[in-house]
Amino acid sequence: MIVREAQGFVEKFEGALGKGKGRKLYAFKVMMAKKLIKFNRDFENFKTACIPWERKIKEVESHFGSSVASYFIFLRWMYGLNLVLFGFMFGLVIIPEVLMGLPQGSIPRKTVPRDEQDTAMDFSVLSEFGGYFRYSVIFYGYYNNQNTIGFLKFRLPLSYFLVGIGIFGYSLMVVIRTMARNANEGGDGADESEFTFCWKLFTSWDYLIGNPETADNKYASITTSFKESIVDEQENQKDENIHLRRFLRVLANVLITCSLGGSGYLIYFVVKRSQDYAKMDSSQLSWYQKNEVEFVMSLLGLVCPPLFETIAELEDYHPRIALKWQLARIFALFLGNLYTFLFALIDDVNEKLEKEKVIKNETIWALNQYYANYTLYHNVTQNIPLPEIAPADVIRGPCWETEVGIEFVKLTVSDIEVTYLTILIGDFMRALIVRFLNYCWCWDLEAGFPSYGEFDISGNVLGLIFNQGMIWMGTFYAPGLMGINILRLVSSMYLQCWAVMSSNVPHERVFKASRSNNFYMGILLLVLFLSLMPVVYTMMTMSPSFDCGPFSGREKMYDVVIETIQNLPPFMANIFTYASNPGLIISIVLLMVLAIYYLNTVSKAYQKANMDLKRKIQMQRDEEKNRRNNKDSTNQVMKDLEDLMPNKSLIPPPAAEEPEPLTQNPLTIEEWTDAPGREQVQKCSNTLVIET
């Protein structure tokens, strides 16, 4: 064994032990190894620097805690998801239509009607996304229904349909994968409840920090983490009156339920009234009447979350639990408002479909009359030319898909405006008033009203999630909506980071965020599913407009897939026909449900086994500690058994162990003075028996 160790030592340091070329080669290897280590470290730093907004989020986390930083991390993740979805829509739908489709003004669906051309560039019209915006690539109605376009024979209708479905499929895959990764990271088995403050006190500082700004952020981060841990410890030791607490929580839920019902009724009433306004002359309507739906929905989203937070003070939950309840209530508010808006919008779409049928029948009748008159006048029955009508003069239907897309775009833009005005007026102007008028006011503005604002985590998270739900639903009717959302997310990151650092203060009860953001992801997954249903309902049941959009001229939108399958070779067509059999699809869905149930059961079993192992390890560690310290057992089961034993008081206490003598042969002063290595002995021993 010793020979092998010596041989390994010689092989490792052969160059350093030798002379000449061997020493130079060894020095070169050492230098290259150090260079490689430095390169790997610099490359890791470069990868960290390439993460968007990493320093901004770290700065926010150091001053406001992990709960506020989790919102900005979620916002950055949402930006990455939307960037990929925008790449799909832009590369497979918008660019092919712009490069290979018919140009602007060549056909009626790409031309502004004659009676709208005078006002098509007015700001009031463009702000409502009418005029040239309405007949552009932003909305559904611009795209042509030709099966193939350009020299590449690109199937634009099929691409439009598949991208609309693929956006939901890719989003579903990414959200589920992120939830699985977060759950894996959150379950590493570490026990953070042991010696929390000791670990934070002795191991928090990073001694490699050399930048003063980074040191300040690290100092603030450690301070905030102590505040978070103190809040958790206080909540664990808090006693409460359970009956009074239950009564107050029931009362709070009753008040919030009444608020949710009232908001839903208000939105349904406003949407119904806006349909009556749409039948009137737009010149007779005021700005509020034109934008009443967007204004009311934005106002409810602005007023209801603070109201819910005020009512939630009655419940006195732990801040982390209170945040989840607040998120669930705002989720119910936004979901009710959104689906109330959709139900009212479907009624409006049905009215437009009836109007389209009338216009379509009138158009067919006019064409039949033209062909009959042309045949009688020219005495021909074949090769009859189409009537020469300018694209701007063609009578066209209302194009309900574009109308729906305009509503979603207006909702998104109004949400952006309300959010930014809230930041500038509700946070920045409020902070200016408190900062500069506090010295000459009757009371302390910082400690009393209005004080500095706190960052509303629940309202911002739910606003971001439901805005994403509107993007998922509206992108099918407005392909340009995804680009608008990208600009919104980028500007929101910079503006909200600036606002939270300049105008907000940390929460009075700073709390630690959950180790995984699966609560946010769970809400996002539910919103994704609820956003998918209206789009699938549109594709499968509602008839597309006859004169606009890539699916015009078909009974249903999914007919484009059937047409494509029929054009394939017979062998492949049979495969797709069998794959689309309802019996096979239902069987696959049932198999997926069973697989999900099985995996969920296995996961719960693993979690239970993990908890049992942790409990056993903790018990063994306590017993080992007690054996070393010669104390009573801390195992609760063993204590209960000992209490049940008779004559427990007669059990003799354990005998104390006598300390072993430090030395068998005490040294004299002369021997101690002459003893070799006494300096080392003096350093290692605090007591010594000396016999004179």
Side-chain angles (χ1 to χ4, degrees):
M1 186 66 182
I2 298 176
V3 174
R4 290 180 180 178
E5 292 180 0
Q7 185 178 2
F9 179 82
V10 171
E11 291 178 355
K12 184 176 181 180
F13 300 101
E14 184 177 3
L17 298 174
K19 297 181 180 180
K21 294 183 179 180
R23 181 182 293 274
K24 293 181 180 179
L25 180 61
Y26 174 76
F28 177 76
K29 289 181 179 180
V30 171
M31 182 186 68
M32 293 304 298
K34 292 182 179 179
K35 293 288 185 182
L36 182 61
I37 294 173
K38 185 177 183 302
F39 173 78
N40 291 332
R41 185 171 61 249
D42 293 341
F43 185 70
E44 291 295 330
N45 294 335
F46 173 74
K47 289 195 299 184
T48 303
C50 289
I51 300 175
W53 307 300
E54 181 70 11
R55 292 189 63 185
K56 286 182 176 294
I57 295 175
K58 289 296 183 183
E59 186 178 3
V60 171
E61 183 178 7
S62 64
H63 289 83
F64 292 85
S66 57
S67 57
V68 177
S70 64
Y71 164 75
F72 290 98
I73 295 173
F74 185 62
L75 174 61
R76 181 177 61 187
W77 182 88
M78 196 77 74
Y79 167 75
L81 174 63
N82 281 269
L83 199 62
V84 176
L85 299 181
F86 175 72
F88 289 157
M89 182 62 70
F90 187 76
L92 298 176
V93 175
I94 298 178
I95 288 297
E97 177 65 33
V98 172
L99 297 180
M100 294 182 286
L102 296 175
Q104 174 79 25
S106 58
I107 54 178
R109 69 184 62 190
K110 298 185 178 183
T111 306
V112 180
R114 187 77 63 186
D115 56 348
E116 298 179 13
Q117 288 182 356
D118 295 337
T119 60
M121 287 298 293
D122 292 350
F123 178 77
S124 59
V125 176
L126 294 177
S127 63
E128 299 293 327
F129 292 95
Y132 285 101
F133 277 163
R134 180 187 178 93
Y135 303 96
S136 65
V137 293
I138 298 177
F139 296 107
Y140 167 93
Y142 180 86
Y143 296 87
N144 202 358
N145 63 341
Q146 295 177 351
N147 287 330
T148 58
I149 59 173
F151 63 95
L152 295 177
K153 302 299 180 181
F154 187 80
R155 293 182 175 271
L156 181 66
L158 180 64
S159 177
Y160 196 104
F161 185 87
L162 294 180
V163 168
I165 295 295
I167 284 176
F168 288 99
Y170 178 79
S171 301
L172 182 64
M173 179 185 67
V174 171
V175 171
I176 293 177
R177 182 180 178 183
T178 304
M179 291 181 67
R181 185 171 64 247
N182 288 345
N184 188 27
E185 291 176 356
D188 55 358
D191 192 358
E192 292 187 345
S193 61
E194 295 291 331
F195 313 112
T196 303
F197 294 98
C198 292
W199 286 114
K200 289 184 181 297
L201 179 62
F202 294 108
T203 65
S204 295
W205 188 255
D206 184 1
Y207 290 93
L208 296 178
I209 295 176
N211 188 353
E213 182 180 355
T214 306
D216 293 339
N217 290 338
K218 185 65 177 177
Y219 172 78
S221 177
I222 295 173
T223 305
T224 307
S225 67
F226 269 103
K227 293 179 181 179
E228 294 173 345
S229 300
I230 290 172
V231 169
D232 288 340
E233 192 68 23
Q234 290 175 346
E235 292 294 330
N236 292 332
Q237 299 177 0
K238 184 174 65 175
D239 296 329
E240 60 181 10
N241 188 344
I242 188 64
H243 300 291
L244 176 62
R245 187 60 55 210
R246 286 176 179 174
F247 171 75
L248 293 177
R249 288 174 181 175
V250 170
L251 178 62
N253 283 282
V254 170
L255 295 176
I256 290 173
T257 303
C258 295
S259 302
L260 293 175
S263 65
Y265 174 77
L266 179 61
I267 288 181
Y268 187 82
F269 172 76
V270 168
V271 173
K272 283 295 184 182
R273 191 165 66 177
S274 68
Q275 296 173 6
D276 298 332
Y277 289 154
K279 300 175 183 178
M280 300 170 59
D281 187 6
S282 60
S283 60
Q284 299 177 357
L285 300 176
S286 63
W287 176 86
Y288 174 76
Q289 291 174 335
K290 293 180 181 178
N291 300 275
E292 187 177 25
V293 176
E294 293 79 16
F295 180 78
V296 170
M297 290 189 69
S298 300
L299 188 63
L300 287 174
L302 184 65
V303 173
C304 288
L307 177 63
F308 292 167
E309 191 170 357
T310 303
I311 297 175
E313 294 292 333
L314 299 173
E315 298 175 319
D316 194 22
Y317 280 121
H318 183 281
R320 193 183 302 115
I321 300 175
L323 174 61
K324 292 185 178 181
W325 272 102
Q326 180 76 350
L327 287 172
R329 288 160 181 168
I330 300 177
F331 173 79
L333 170 70
F334 284 177
L335 181 63
N337 294 349
L338 184 61
Y339 264 77
T340 303
F341 171 74
L342 287 176
F343 291 149
L345 201 61
I346 288 175
D347 295 339
D348 186 39
V349 168
N350 291 329
E351 293 181 5
K352 286 183 169 57
L353 285 174
E354 295 296 329
K355 184 178 179 180
E356 280 191 351
K357 290 180 181 179
V358 175
I359 296 175
K360 182 179 180 180
N361 293 333
E362 292 177 352
T363 303
I364 294 174
W365 180 84
L367 286 175
N368 291 333
Q369 292 296 318
Y370 166 76
Y371 290 140
N373 294 332
Y374 191 90
T375 301
L376 292 175
Y377 185 76
H378 295 281
N379 196 19
V380 293
T381 58
Q382 295 179 352
N383 298 326
I384 299 176
L386 294 174
E388 295 182 0
I389 303 176
D393 298 328
V394 174
I395 299 175
R396 61 193 73 179
C399 193
W400 64 267
E401 295 93 344
T402 298
E403 293 289 342
V404 173
I406 289 175
E407 292 296 328
F408 278 107
V409 173
K410 289 169 67 176
L411 279 175
T412 302
V413 173
S414 65
D415 181 72
I416 296 173
E417 293 172 352
V418 170
T419 301
Y420 292 172
L421 288 176
T422 303
I423 291 174
L424 294 176
I425 297 176
D427 291 333
F428 183 65
M429 295 301 296
R430 176 181 174 182
L432 287 179
I433 292 173
V434 174
R435 174 69 177 82
F436 292 104
L437 297 183
N438 192 34
Y439 302 103
C440 56
W441 205 256
C442 302
W443 64 83
D444 189 357
L445 297 180
E446 293 185 2
F449 179 82
S451 73
Y452 290 105
E454 296 178 351
F455 186 77
D456 184 12
I457 303 174
S458 56
N460 282 283
V461 168
L462 265 298
L464 184 62
I465 289 176
F466 273 89
N467 181 266
Q468 185 62 37
M470 288 191 294
I471 299 300
W472 277 324
M473 279 190 288
T475 300
F476 187 78
Y477 311 104
L481 182 59
M482 194 68 70
I484 297 175
N485 192 48
I486 291 291
L487 298 177
R488 174 187 183 273
L489 293 174
V490 173
S491 58
S492 294
M493 175 61 77
Y494 286 104
L495 185 62
Q496 288 185 310
C497 278
W498 166 79
V500 75
M501 293 299 297
S502 63
S503 307
N504 294 136
V505 294
H507 291 258
E508 291 184 3
R509 302 174 70 191
V510 180
F511 61 95
K512 187 187 303 181
S514 177
R515 297 191 62 188
S516 65
N517 288 330
N518 275 351
F519 189 76
Y520 295 168
M521 290 297 169
I523 297 177
L524 185 64
L525 183 63
L526 182 57
V527 170
L528 174 60
F529 176 73
L530 296 175
S531 302
L532 175 63
M533 291 194 297
V535 178
V536 173
Y537 175 79
T538 300
M539 293 177 177
M540 299 300 176
T541 61
M542 302 188 70
S543 300
S545 300
F546 74 95
D547 62 343
C548 69
F551 309 110
S552 57
R554 298 175 175 86
E555 289 295 327
K556 297 292 185 293
M557 293 182 181
Y558 69 87
D559 288 344
V560 66
V561 180
I562 299 176
E563 293 174 1
T564 305
I565 292 175
Q566 292 175 352
N567 294 330
L568 293 174
F571 175 74
M572 298 182 64
N574 291 333
I575 293 177
F576 281 105
T577 302
Y578 294 144
S580 60
N581 191 311
L584 181 61
I585 294 175
I586 293 174
S587 301
I588 294 175
V589 170
L590 290 176
L591 181 62
M592 292 174 61
V593 171
L594 291 175
I596 292 172
Y597 176 76
Y598 170 74
L599 293 175
N600 187 30
T601 305
V602 172
S603 176
K604 289 182 179 179
Y606 284 152
Q607 290 179 359
K608 184 178 179 180
N610 189 20
M611 294 300 297
D612 292 339
L613 289 174
K614 289 171 63 176
R615 193 179 299 110
K616 290 179 180 178
I617 293 173
Q618 182 66 31
M619 291 170 58
Q620 291 179 359
R621 186 168 56 186
D622 292 342
E623 291 298 327
E624 181 67 24
K625 187 189 303 182
N626 293 325
R627 280 197 297 268
R628 288 199 309 266
N629 298 334
N630 196 20
K631 294 182 179 179
D632 292 336
S633 174
T634 58
N635 189 343
Q636 189 63 35
V637 177
M638 297 301 298
K639 283 185 176 181
D640 295 339
L641 292 176
E642 291 177 1
D643 293 337
L644 294 175
M645 292 177 61
N647 299 327
K648 180 182 177 183
S649 60
L650 300 178
I651 299 176
E657 297 181 359
E658 297 181 359
E660 296 182 358
L662 295 177
T663 178
Q664 297 294 334
N665 299 317
L667 300 177
T668 62
I669 295 179
E670 292 78 6
E671 292 174 342
W672 162 246
T673 305
D674 298 333
R678 62 180 180 276
E679 294 84 359
Q680 288 79 3
V681 176
Q682 288 174 349
K683 293 179 182 179
C684 299
S685 177
N686 293 325
T687 58
L688 182 65
V689 179
I690 301 176
E691 181 177 323
T692 58

